[in-house]
Structure formats: structure tokens, C-alpha cells
Amino acid sequence: MGREVVHAGYRYDGMKFGSKDNHEGQIYLNPQAWAIIAGAATPEQAESFHENGERNAGHGIWHCLVQSTLYVIRFYHRSCPAYESRHQGNGGIFVHTQGWAVMAETLLGHGNRAYDYLKSYLPSSFNDKAEIREIEPYVVCQSTHSNYSPGFGKSRIPWLSGSATWTYYAITQFMLGIRPGYNGIAIDPCIPSNWNGFRVYRKFRAKC
């Protein structure tokens, strides 16, 4: 059986988005990650979707929102006409979704991979590349030009709280694994193999 792909959507006439049948944009990151996060995938499917995410990496371990920039399909897609090719939702690196890739990897037990993903887009990774990133070196941004773009590495729309929130959420509730639930608090960390451990002080329902 070939590698399974979660489709990104369907048009009214049945046209698929994010399908092996498309000549461009065959893999979208969001449905691959969320099939794992939502628990909708079997273990076998989850590993396949993880491999799709790897194939979707724009450069190294950065993840593009969609594999390859869209030239034709973009005009049939709800959001892509708003974006230039190679940027944001059209073959760019959308930083909100990087946290989702981290979350999905922890749920698969891939602590090293999750940490590598996390480090790859944190502002601290670009302290010596300010001339490339072109925004403040201490803030998260909304999007970054992918390697499909001649401006690869340029980041845009800094100080965006959504990207920062998903990063914080991925770190605290999935890597460190301390998640509140209906029946109490879950402690299920997934950390890199070279960590000896960690200590956390967490107040939960007015108790420590």
C-alpha cells in the first residue's frame, strides 16, 4: 500500500486539494498534523502522515504549509489567491503550524524530532542571522519565506500572538506533557533523549 495522505479539502465538483492526483500541492501540513493530534488516525496511518510532514519540509526541518508553491490550483483554492507564490499559505512557512508539527511528533513519541522542529523556528535560532530574518531577534512571527522563494528565511508580521501561543502550548502541554483535562491533570512528557529530566511547578485548580 502506498503512503496515505490526508486531503486538505474538496471543491463542490469533487476536485481534491492535497491529493496525489494533483500535479502541485500534493501534501498540506495541517491535515497531516491534526489527524494525529485529534486521534483520528490509526498508529499505521499516523506514522504515514508523519512521513508526509517530513516530505513537506521546506528546508531541513522547517515545514511549509503546502508542499510546493501553487501556480494553477491557487486560483481554485479559497485562500491561496491572496498570497504570492512561495509565501504564507502558498508554499510558505506559516509559523502557527510549526507548533502543530511539534505536538504531532510528541504524540507519536518522537521526542528528539519534536525538539528539533521546535528549535528550528524559535527566534533564538536566528540570533546570528538578523540580516536574513529581518525582524526583531526576540519575537515570533507569522510567516517565513520558504526555500521555494528567492527570499528564503525572511520573516514577516512579527509580534503575532497566535504563533507565540501555539509555541507555548506545544512546549508546556506536549513536550513537557502537563495537560489539564476533564478528570484532572495528565503528565505525559515527550522530551529529547539527551535530557536527564526536568522540574516543573504547576498550579492546577488552585492547588500546587
Side-chain angles (χ1 to χ4, degrees):
M1 181 181 294
R3 182 181 288 113
E4 293 188 69
V5 176
V6 186
H7 298 157
Y10 296 84
R11 201 171 63 177
Y12 67 91
D13 59 358
M15 177 182 177
K16 302 172 184 176
F17 296 104
S19 166
K20 63 182 181 180
D21 298 330
N22 301 135
H23 68 279
E24 59 185 15
Q26 294 183 348
I27 302 174
Y28 284 68
L29 173 61
N30 291 4
Q32 315 308 311
W34 276 100
I36 298 170
I37 296 169
T42 66
E44 293 76 18
Q45 288 175 326
E47 287 295 340
S48 178
F49 301 157
H50 150 76
E51 292 177 16
N52 292 337
E54 288 293 287
R55 292 173 62 200
N56 211 29
H59 179 80
I61 51 179
W62 283 76
H63 281 71
C64 294
L65 194 61
V66 56
Q67 181 195 42
S68 79
T69 187
L70 306 182
Y71 293 100
V72 177
I73 291 180
R74 69 188 294 255
F75 296 106
Y76 301 103
H77 197 287
R78 178 180 60 84
S79 60
C80 279
Y83 304 129
E84 291 294 327
S85 296
R86 312 177 183 94
H87 189 48
Q88 287 190 323
N90 189 5
I93 299 164
F94 201 62
V95 180
H96 280 63
T97 61
Q98 305 306 301
W100 300 343
V102 172
M103 291 160 57
E105 291 297 336
T106 64
L107 292 173
L108 293 175
H110 301 162
N112 291 337
R113 179 74 64 181
Y115 190 51
D116 285 344
Y117 287 170
L118 176 67
K119 289 190 299 180
S120 73
Y121 77 91
L122 287 179
S124 58
S125 297
F126 297 87
N127 285 341
D128 58 350
K129 300 176 182 178
E131 74 283 0
I132 298 175
R133 194 165 184 250
E134 296 186 346
I135 62 173
E136 299 91 329
Y138 43 83
V139 296
V140 200
C141 64
Q142 183 200 60
S143 60
T144 298
H145 284 262
S146 73
N147 69 322
Y148 299 117
S149 167
F152 173 58
K154 293 181 179 180
S155 295
R156 295 294 182 261
I157 315 181
W159 297 97
L160 197 71
S161 60
S163 299
T165 300
W166 279 114
T167 298
Y168 175 81
Y169 189 76
I171 294 171
T172 57
Q173 298 202 18
F174 286 82
M175 285 198 66
L176 301 185
I178 302 172
R179 296 192 289 272
Y182 291 111
N183 300 315
I185 192 164
I187 302 177
D188 183 24
C190 183
I191 60 176
S193 59
N194 62 349
W195 285 20
N196 294 324
F198 61 90
R199 290 187 179 184
V200 171
Y201 178 87
R202 173 70 155 85
K203 182 176 286 189
F204 182 69
R205 295 178 182 170
K207 296 181 180 179
C208 298

